[in-house]
Amino acid sequence: MADKEELRTQMKDAFGGADYPINSPMDLVPALPNGPSTKFESGDFSMTAMELNTKLGGGNFPYESADAFVDDVLQQLEEQGHLDDN
C-alpha cells in the first residue's frame, strides 16, 4: 500500500525547485533531480515523472505553487485507482 504522505513529500521535494507559476509539465523538468526519469516510490507504487505525465490528465495549469500541483497530482492518482485509500 502506498503512503500518500510519503509520496507528497517526495513530490514536493522534486517539484519544489521549479519556477512557479508553472504553465505546463515541461516547466517542471529542469527542477527534477533525474529529469523525466525521477522516480516516486512508496509501498507497491512506483512511477517516474514521465509516467505521471502520461497517466494523468492535462492538469489545471497554471499552478501557483508546488503544494497546489502535488495536491492535484495525488488527487488524480487516487481517482484513477493508482493509490490505495489510507
Side-chain angles (χ1 to χ4, degrees), residues 17-70:
D19 188 17
Y20 288 88
I22 56 170
N23 295 305
S24 78
M26 293 308 295
D27 292 344
L28 296 164
V29 174
L32 296 171
N34 294 317
S37 298
T38 300
K39 191 173 277 192
F40 304 101
E41 298 179 296
S42 177
D44 58 358
F45 178 89
S46 178
M47 203 174 283
T48 66
M50 182 172 288
E51 289 170 318
L52 282 175
N53 188 46
T54 61
K55 292 199 183 298
L56 301 179
N60 296 315
F61 290 94
Y63 290 95
E64 298 296 324
S65 68
D67 286 331
F69 178 70
V70 170

Side-chain angles (χ1 to χ4, degrees), residues 69-84:
F69 178 70
V70 170
D71 287 347
D72 192 40
V73 167
L74 290 172
Q75 180 180 349
Q76 288 185 58
L77 286 172
E78 203 163 35
E79 289 171 358
Q80 292 180 12
H82 295 292
L83 302 178
D84 296 320

